[in-house]
Amino acid sequence: MYERRQARWFERTLFEYNLDDEEVNEVIKVLEEYLPSKLIRKKFLFPSLSEFEVVRHFTRLSQQNYGVDQGLYPLGSCTMKYNPRVNEDIASLDGFANLNPLQDPDEVQGLLELLYKLSEYLSKLTGMDYFSLQPAAGAQGELVGVLIMKKYFEVKGENRNEVIVPDTAHGTNPASVKMAGLKVVEVPSNRDGIIDPKIIRETVSDKTLGIMLTNPNTLGVYEDYIGEIADIIHGSDGLLYYDGANLNAILGWIRPGDMGFDITHVNLHKTFSTPHGGGGPGSGPVGVKSFLKDFLPVPIIEEVGGKYVFNWDLKHTIGKVHSFYGNVLIQLRALAYILRNGFEGLREVSGTALLNSNYLYEKLRSFNGVHPYPNNLKPRMHEFVLSVKELKDKYDVRARDIAKRIIDYGVYAPTIYFPTIVEEALMIEPTETASKKELDEFIDIFKMILDEVVNEKDKVLNSPLNTSVRRIDDAYASRPKTMKPTYKWGED
Ligand SMILES: *Cc1c(COP(=O)(O)O)cnc(C)c1O
């Protein structure tokens, strides 16, 4: 890392000082000590484009994009809230952004103190006792959690290999179980979209490591029987893993630790606001109850006599899971968000997220051709799922078509076809940062599109009509290696 920086510094120096050939050769010789020679440019490239042409090109490209800074982004399960700029100010402070990760802990006490504080706040907010900030996303947090469950039973000398996962779970849950070399035991949700304790009682065996749940679940419905489910799992000495992706629904009101969960991940980039959706970087800290502390990834940060130190000495640690201490600048953004809101502010965050979600839900569910899933009178939490199966049956218009048409009206589309148990699903999460005006506009857009389905179906089926890229080939997008594209760039 240090060497690469040094090399970059040399390269910049060359540009700035306008060296002659001989001097350039000298610098190249120095560079060759650090980098393989095939990576070193022997000649400087002079751009054939003017600066303003480059700026205009990239500005134009950025305008073809859509983000939370432009408008509503109701992508269910992803908590696409506005990211306050104070987070960016903090994360880009010189003293944080330019720290070298190899610096001695003694020299970065300030940073370690902040990360320690973040762990403490996360513990308080989730009801856990210890946190590792290392995992880079929710998915990695899950893998860490499952590996902890596995090791816990190895240490106890018990041979268990099954993890219970409901049919509404995010795909990363069963994937994490598989990656840990364990068996997924799927349980169905009931007609009300929640897990009936009866099915857990029937499924639990001496092979069960535990259960992975998110609460509220991915249908946006609170698991009414969570206490009973926890008792059954604990009754068989199993563990409960909390997928914290939906923490935005309960923040400041109820904690996974109090529901009976033993391990929790938190998606800092979702609940605690960091721009995400482009693939990273993210942060998915994992918290545990104290009896599992020794299994956490090393190192964890601890305070010893007013000094912050890395503790590498955890007896049953599953090992190290990320270089250095994870994505530290995301962690700082989350801390800034927590401190700026305060406890009462965070309660307001989730309270408003629920209010927005239910306002939208009550309006949209009343439209013709749209049905809530589950179809009952229970209020929703931070998100909700609608099925447009009736539109498919009557007009051959699918959830995908509705989503594409929404984009035409200048709003990002909801999540579609998830959870997979819901036919023609639209999963909508407005978050707390949507204003009532924005929600009303979205309701109007939705109504207009439903009218179009009846009167101008072709518009919906051919949408998006107003974007720089029209419909792409879905199958090719997900399996480019095994298929030939049916879409060519620039065809439209
Ligand atoms: C987003 C999400 C995950 C995975 O989190 P990443 O940070 O994207 O890896 C897991 N479960 C649920 C319910 C999610 O919404």
Side-chain angles (χ1 to χ4, degrees):
M1 186 63 92
Y2 174 76
E3 290 172 0
R4 242 203 255 156
R5 273 194 192 191
Q6 191 88 337
R8 255 187 247 138
W9 179 82
F10 275 122
E11 207 173 9
R12 226 181 307 144
T13 311
L14 288 181
F15 275 110
E16 277 165 18
Y17 292 92
N18 211 0
L19 308 179
D20 63 31
D21 282 356
E22 203 174 302
E23 289 165 318
V24 167
N25 285 335
E26 248 171 65
V27 178
I28 287 174
K29 244 188 259 153
V30 180
L31 280 177
E32 275 169 351
E33 285 177 32
Y34 297 104
L35 292 171
S37 82
K38 68 167 194 245
L39 293 182
I40 298 169
R41 218 180 267 147
K42 301 290 178 325
K43 217 167 66 182
F44 292 116
L45 297 175
F46 286 97
S48 60
L49 296 168
S50 65
E51 180 176 318
F52 79 80
E53 282 172 308
V54 173
V55 167
R56 284 176 184 171
H57 172 70
F58 284 107
T59 304
R60 208 173 293 123
L61 284 183
S62 76
Q63 287 166 342
Q64 291 177 3
N65 216 334
Y66 187 89
V68 275
D69 293 345
Q70 277 154 291
L72 191 67
Y73 208 123
L75 193 68
S77 212
C78 298
T79 313
M80 306 300 280
K81 59 173 73 178
Y82 169 73
N83 307 290
R85 288 303 180 270
V86 65
N87 299 356
E88 301 306 313
D89 292 345
I90 299 294
S92 54
L93 287 176
D94 233 27
F96 297 135
N98 291 327
L99 274 186
N100 190 311
L102 288 173
Q103 225 148 324
D104 194 277
D106 278 346
E107 298 166 347
V108 291
Q109 283 292 301
L111 177 70
L112 294 187
E113 180 179 348
L114 294 179
L115 300 184
Y116 180 78
K117 284 214 164 112
L118 174 63
S119 309
E120 289 211 306
Y121 285 126
L122 292 177
S123 290
K124 285 204 178 100
L125 288 166
T126 57
M128 296 291 129
D129 297 314
Y130 293 95
F131 260 89
S132 163
L133 303 180
Q134 274 184 53
Q140 196 189 9
E142 289 171 30
L143 179 63
V144 164
V146 175
L147 289 174
I148 289 175
M149 290 163 88
K150 191 177 172 186
K151 187 106 190 230
Y152 174 74
F153 286 103
E154 271 169 27
V155 168
K156 276 176 57 152
E158 290 182 40
N159 187 16
R160 302 191 183 207
N161 66 346
E162 294 179 355
V163 179
I164 300 175
V165 181
D167 60 0
T168 49
H170 195 263
T172 48
N173 291 191
S176 301
V177 174
K178 279 266 175 200
M179 276 186 81
L182 300 167
K183 200 174 137 204
V184 180
V185 179
E186 188 181 288
V187 289
S189 44
N190 68 10
R191 280 188 54 204
D192 286 323
I194 57 176
I195 298 297
D196 189 328
K198 212 175 114 214
I199 193 101
I200 299 299
R201 209 170 282 122
E202 286 163 8
T203 311
V204 161
S205 74
D206 58 359
K207 288 277 164 225
T208 309
L209 289 133
I211 190 169
M212 291 181 96
L213 274 182
T214 182
N215 192 21
N217 62 32
T218 59
L219 295 165
V221 183
Y222 195 85
E223 295 285 350
D224 286 337
Y225 305 109
I226 185 60
E228 224 175 310
I229 293 169
D231 287 346
I232 299 168
I233 299 288
H234 285 151
S236 76
D237 286 338
L239 300 171
L240 280 90
Y241 182 89
Y242 185 78
D243 174 343
N246 293 342
L247 194 64
N248 214 55
I250 58 165
L251 202 56
W253 298 86
I254 181 171
R255 311 183 304 170
D258 301 333
M259 297 178 204
F261 288 93
D262 307 293
I263 312 173
T264 300
H265 84 248
V266 181
N267 306 61
L268 295 187
H269 44 285
K270 292 180 180 172
T271 315
F272 299 104
S273 78
T274 277
H276 67 288
S283 181
V286 169
V288 294
K289 292 268 177 76
S290 54
F291 73 99
L292 293 171
K293 178 189 175 190
D294 273 346
F295 295 86
L296 281 172
V298 281
I300 58 171
I301 299 171
E302 285 186 337
E303 194 206 320
V304 182
K307 226 178 105 174
Y308 297 91
V309 295
F310 283 124
N311 179 359
W312 288 84
D313 191 22
L314 298 180
K315 193 160 169 220
H316 305 301
T317 179
I318 61 157
K320 196 157 181 8
V321 299
H322 195 287
S323 55
F324 304 109
Y325 203 62
N327 291 326
V328 164
L329 296 179
I330 313 289
Q331 298 161 17
L332 289 174
R333 284 178 174 89
L335 180 63
Y337 184 79
I338 290 171
L339 291 174
R340 188 64 186 255
N341 280 294
F343 184 71
E344 283 306 317
L346 293 177
R347 265 169 82 87
E348 212 179 313
V349 160
S350 49
T352 312
L354 262 61
L355 187 63
N356 278 353
S357 162
N358 279 285
Y359 177 71
L360 203 52
Y361 173 62
E362 287 302 329
K363 297 280 182 182
L364 298 188
R365 69 175 292 189
S366 70
F367 291 153
N368 281 337
V370 175
H371 300 282
Y373 188 99
N375 202 347
N376 60 18
L377 293 174
K378 208 177 161 187
R380 299 298 127 114
M381 298 291 283
H382 66 306
E383 68 189 356
F384 56 91
V385 176
L386 302 173
S387 167
V388 293
K389 179 174 180 297
E390 189 183 322
L391 300 182
K392 183 183 162 202
D393 295 343
K394 272 196 188 157
Y395 305 100
D396 218 10
V397 171
R398 306 189 53 191
R400 177 198 302 142
D401 304 313
I402 304 288
K404 299 289 184 200
R405 190 62 179 149
I406 288 173
I407 296 172
D408 263 342
Y409 284 99
V411 178
Y412 203 82
T415 296
I416 50 176
Y417 300 108
F418 175 65
T420 47
I421 55 165
V422 184
E423 280 184 87
E424 300 304 320
L426 291 167
M427 182 197 218
I428 302 176
E429 177 184 11
T431 84
E432 71 283 0
T433 55
S435 65
K436 177 163 182 298
K437 182 166 164 282
E438 264 180 311
L439 297 177
D440 285 335
E441 279 167 7
F442 186 74
I443 293 160
D444 287 345
I445 290 169
F446 208 87
K447 179 86 183 58
M448 272 191 284
I449 295 174
L450 292 176
D451 288 343
E452 284 175 349
V453 170
V454 180
N455 301 315
E456 300 171 89
K457 200 171 88 174
D458 281 354
K459 262 194 191 162
V460 180
L461 291 177
N462 290 320
S463 60
L465 299 162
N466 306 329
T467 48
S468 51
V469 176
R470 299 278 299 278
R471 279 204 195 200
I472 56 163
D473 183 332
D474 289 344
Y476 178 68
S478 77
R479 291 186 182 78
K481 288 209 178 96
T482 55
M483 292 181 66
K484 281 203 163 59
T486 57
Y487 173 86
K488 288 198 194 69
W489 283 97
E491 226 170 37
D492 295 319

